[in-house]
Amino acid sequence: MDDPALFDLRHQARDGSPPALYRLASALVLRHQMAEAFVLHRRAAEAGLANAQIEHARMLMYGVGCDADASQAVAWLLRAELAGSPIAGYFLALIALGGQALPRDGRINERLMLAVRAEYPPALRAVAMHFGRKADRDDQARCMQWLERAAGLGDAVAARLLAERLQRGEGCRPRPDAAAQLRRQLAQHGVGPLPSVAVPEFVPINAQPGQLQMEDVLQPVDLTLQSARPHVLTVDGLLSADECRLLIAASESRLQSSRTIDPNDGLPLAMDLRTSSDASLDPILEDVALRAVQLRMASAAGVPLSHAEHLTVLRYEPGQEYRPHRDYRPPGSLERDRPDAGNRLRTICVYLNEVQAGGETEFPVAGLRVAPRPGRAVIFDNLHADGAPDVDSLHAGLPVQRGVKWLATLWLRQAPYRNF
């Protein structure tokens, strides 16, 4: 039986009023009654309610209460955008970054700027982080202005990024008092400070000042060959300090004890082999800023973003480790998780913070250890050119001796894994 609040919403929606249908559908989503919410969102969307069109599209994007259908999601978002919704345009930009359901073209920049002008916080944060990668002083000022505006609109992630910049004097003179005040405000809502992150080798992008050009994430990077067998590459400064902080902020509240994959049935299994904590980024929580970081990672690894599994962020505390293992998945595991995408062709890991001691990534066959350093990426192949598993890809996350290690991992399949 419905609770009184839901009963009242059903009563209000009896006449088919689009706003009432939308309110009822939103309440059902909160109660995890997704199939009914999908139908009600669709009814309100068909009646022309832009918010319902966007939510209906998002359910189609992620297969919530329905089968995933990116092309239908795009159609509904285009309809809402045509009616004047910049928020619909924001989600079209998010989809287009994937380069599948929409082309990755200049419309991404146009749509993001419209969402910025509408003061949509996720758009403000994404554009701020883009300009934060540029060396021009005015671009750094733009980064700060948009982070401040997003924080003022209640975006806790933007507020946390802003506090770090104020503390360190990134894009401004150091303002520790302002940073402390912002952190006190966040603490009142149960949000703590981020780990200290600076990226020593980070080189700002070489791009035209004052221009939003999200395609900059695809710029080539200077890779260093560390081993031919197994094939291991590194690149320093792949992610900026803002991007490292973003990944930590997006994941820390969702951390759980790490598990491995049972080779027989493909189910998660707790083992002493792996003692870290991790959080897999739920696609429905992904925003443009997070998607741009993943696109940068996939591009550096030379694999389309469409082939990427969901991003995983890991935290290793003192003594925690990931003993020698290989990333390619056994047949029983693949059968349970999009077998058409093939196996894990390549892995890219990015270290997100400075580790006081320990925490190297070791490749025993190559006699190679890669030291953790904020923004540094290590890229390695899990399969041979013919698709056969490369047993030499054995690697380990060595125990953290002092401090904490944060690491972001993107596993890249042989064929498309994502829907958009």
Side-chain angles (χ1 to χ4, degrees):
M1 182 176 178
D2 288 342
D3 60 58
L6 193 62
F7 180 84
D8 186 51
L9 288 171
R10 289 189 186 281
H11 179 75
Q12 295 174 30
R14 284 190 309 175
D15 64 355
S17 161
L21 291 169
Y22 176 73
R23 290 193 296 270
L24 175 57
S26 299
L28 289 168
V29 167
L30 294 175
R31 291 164 174 78
H32 304 288
Q33 298 179 40
M34 301 303 185
E36 185 181 359
F38 176 79
V39 172
L40 292 171
H41 272 316
R42 185 179 185 92
R43 286 178 59 192
E46 288 171 339
L49 189 66
N51 286 345
Q53 291 169 348
I54 293 169
E55 290 308 309
H56 183 62
R58 294 184 71 232
M59 296 184 88
L60 285 163
M61 286 164 64
Y62 304 109
V64 177
C66 62
D67 292 329
D69 190 331
S71 62
Q72 281 296 310
V74 167
W76 280 106
L77 290 169
L78 287 171
R79 184 170 168 179
E81 183 184 48
L82 187 62
S85 171
I87 311 306
Y90 170 88
F91 284 106
L92 288 166
L94 185 149
I95 290 172
L97 281 175
Q100 295 187 86
L102 280 173
R104 193 184 291 134
D105 58 19
R107 292 299 307 279
I108 294 173
N109 302 321
E110 296 170 13
R111 285 167 166 148
L112 276 180
M113 284 310 302
L114 287 172
V116 165
R117 293 186 187 112
E119 298 200 315
Y120 186 51
L124 289 162
R125 179 174 3 109
V127 172
M129 293 187 62
H130 172 80
F131 282 98
R133 288 187 65 95
K134 298 190 176 189
D136 184 81
R137 182 176 298 179
D138 290 340
D139 285 332
Q140 288 293 312
R142 290 183 180 95
C143 170
M144 295 295 291
Q145 289 166 5
W146 281 320
L147 284 178
E148 287 172 356
R149 187 58 190 145
L153 292 167
D155 186 331
V157 173
R160 299 179 81 185
L161 299 178
L162 177 61
E164 296 303 313
R165 280 181 159 259
L166 291 169
Q167 180 69 37
R168 292 176 169 273
E170 297 172 355
C172 63
R173 60 177 176 80
R175 296 170 57 193
D177 291 344
Q181 181 180 359
L182 195 51
R183 287 169 176 158
R184 285 194 294 269
Q185 292 171 355
L186 287 164
Q188 292 174 358
H189 299 279
V191 179
L194 288 167
S196 177
V197 175
V199 178
E201 298 88 0
F202 172 66
V203 178
I205 55 175
N206 181 22
Q208 186 176 357
Q211 298 295 315
L212 175 64
Q213 298 169 320
M214 292 300 291
E215 57 271 25
D216 289 342
V217 301
L218 300 171
Q219 287 186 358
V221 295
D222 294 328
L223 299 170
T224 300
L225 179 66
Q226 299 289 353
S227 167
R229 179 183 175 188
H231 192 248
V232 182
L233 303 162
T234 60
V235 55
D236 283 336
L238 180 68
L239 299 188
S240 69
D242 286 326
E243 290 168 328
C244 292
R245 295 163 189 159
L246 173 74
L247 295 183
I248 295 171
S251 60
E252 62 180 347
S253 66
R254 299 177 177 86
L255 290 171
Q256 297 181 337
S257 295
S258 298
R259 298 187 175 192
T260 56
I261 299 296
D262 190 309
N264 298 314
D265 58 20
L267 294 174
L269 180 68
M271 294 181 66
D272 291 339
L273 175 76
R274 190 180 189 192
T275 55
S276 59
S277 300
D278 67 53
S280 181
L281 185 66
D282 188 331
I284 204 167
L285 301 175
E286 188 177 83
D287 55 30
V288 167
L290 287 165
R291 196 163 173 83
V293 172
Q294 293 172 80
L295 180 56
R296 190 185 307 283
M297 293 172 65
S299 177
V303 180
L305 180 61
S306 59
H307 292 218
E309 294 183 20
H310 309 315
L311 181 76
T312 298
V313 177
L314 303 101
R315 184 186 66 191
Y316 292 82
E317 296 183 318
Q320 292 185 334
E321 64 180 323
Y322 197 167
R323 295 177 186 172
H325 64 284
R326 300 173 180 91
D327 282 358
Y328 55 78
R329 301 183 68 165
S333 166
L334 287 173
E335 291 171 3
R336 301 182 64 91
D337 186 19
R338 307 200 184 176
D340 292 345
N343 213 322
R344 289 172 171 169
L345 170 69
R346 193 163 293 149
T347 298
I348 176 168
C349 302
V350 183
Y351 308 107
L352 304 180
N353 71 315
E354 193 78 48
V355 182
Q356 293 179 30
E360 299 90 346
T361 302
E362 181 180 47
F363 295 87
V365 173
L368 172 67
R369 289 187 177 184
V370 180
R373 199 154 175 80
R376 172 179 288 171
V378 57
I379 303 163
F380 54 93
D381 289 347
N382 303 304
L383 309 177
H384 291 294
D386 63 1
D390 183 0
V391 296
D392 291 342
S393 65
L394 184 75
H395 59 285
L398 298 182
V400 172
Q401 297 171 18
R402 294 195 310 276
V404 175
K405 180 176 83 170
W406 287 88
L407 179 76
T409 297
L410 203 59
W411 290 294
L412 300 156
R413 296 287 194 96
Q414 294 169 286
Y417 181 90
R418 302 188 180 199
N419 298 319
F420 62 87

